[in-house]
Amino acid sequence: MRHVGWRLPAIIGGAAIVLAGLGLVLAVTHRPRWYHPAPVDHTRLREDKAALVGLEEQISAALNAGRAAHFQLSEDQINRWLAARAEIWPELAASLGPFEQPQVLLRDGRVQVAAHAMRRGLPVVAAVTCSVDVGEETLALRYDAPRLGAVPAPRRWLSGLLARLPAESISQTDEGAGTVTLHNDWVWPNGKRRCRVRELSVADGVATVVLEPLRSGPPLR
């Protein structure tokens, strides 16, 4: 019995470490209530493909005629496109890398993006919320610290994702402030027409976008 004095604190300390580790695992693997990625809706797949083709044709017709392209994207439509990306954009399915079951939420000027991933052998829901400030020459993407389940993650965790952006499109990055500044100068593939984002506004469930054509010539960088 003389050894109980030092064994008891050791037992309590070990139990505390185990409980803390268990709590961290539960927090990291927590599935947020709002996370409900859309399944592939095969009954609407043809309709969704047609909607995408129609949108591309609408934008192409406007830009190639020298007019601004005005359009809206609903949260539901975006998520159905993402769910069916392997059928619609096979290259996009590969570009998402380890992330599966993506979901986009459009809320009060902000966009929340989430996806399922494996992190050190644990299933997690990774999420980040961002907003976009539109300028004549730049787009400022401002993002909050990402989350893994219920646990905040350092902003540098997004470095690998940001590295997927074309280097020529990035004007400046400030990881500490959570900002990526992009050149607002793009090339629409159908007709190779230069354009920029003139407006991007987000309301509950809907994003409104206006693209306007720029003068011909190579993009300014």
Side-chain angles (χ1 to χ4, degrees), residues 26-208:
L26 292 175
V28 168
T29 58
H30 170 71
R31 185 184 178 97
R33 291 183 179 180
W34 49 261
Y35 180 64
H36 297 288
V40 178
D41 189 346
H42 292 283
T43 65
R44 300 188 64 170
L45 188 55
R46 180 175 296 182
E47 177 186 339
D48 288 335
K49 288 182 178 180
L52 180 62
V53 171
L55 176 61
E56 292 174 341
E57 291 177 346
Q58 173 191 342
I59 295 173
S60 297
L63 294 179
N64 290 324
R67 295 182 283 104
H70 302 248
F71 57 95
Q72 289 187 323
L73 297 172
S74 73
E75 180 182 291
D76 290 342
Q77 180 66 86
I78 291 171
N79 285 310
R80 289 201 307 274
W81 280 338
L82 286 173
R85 65 192 181 281
E87 289 85 354
I88 299 175
W89 300 296
E91 65 278 8
L92 178 60
S95 70
L96 291 181
F99 296 97
E100 300 176 344
Q101 299 178 302
Q103 179 184 8
V104 171
L105 296 176
L106 305 176
R107 296 288 184 272
D108 296 326
R110 296 168 68 78
V111 180
Q112 186 172 43
V113 182
H116 179 273
M118 296 298 295
R119 182 71 172 171
R120 296 181 179 177
L122 296 174
V124 300
V125 174
V128 65
T129 302
C130 61
S131 61
V132 180
D133 293 335
V134 178
E136 289 192 3
E137 298 183 355
T138 61
L139 296 177
L141 178 67
R142 307 182 189 280
Y143 57 91
D144 294 340
R147 301 185 72 85
L148 298 179
V151 178
R155 286 195 174 102
R156 64 175 179 274
W157 192 77
L158 288 174
S159 298
L161 296 181
L162 297 176
R164 295 175 183 269
L165 293 172
E168 64 273 13
S169 69
I170 299 177
S171 171
Q172 183 181 359
T173 60
D174 187 339
E175 193 173 273
T179 303
V180 179
T181 304
L182 306 176
H183 297 288
N184 193 6
D185 192 339
W186 314 90
V187 177
W188 182 252
N190 189 345
K192 305 299 181 183
R193 187 62 190 250
R194 284 180 60 210
C195 62
R196 69 182 174 190
V197 179
R198 190 177 77 194
E199 179 185 338
L200 175 57
S201 59
V202 177
D204 281 352
V206 178
T208 300

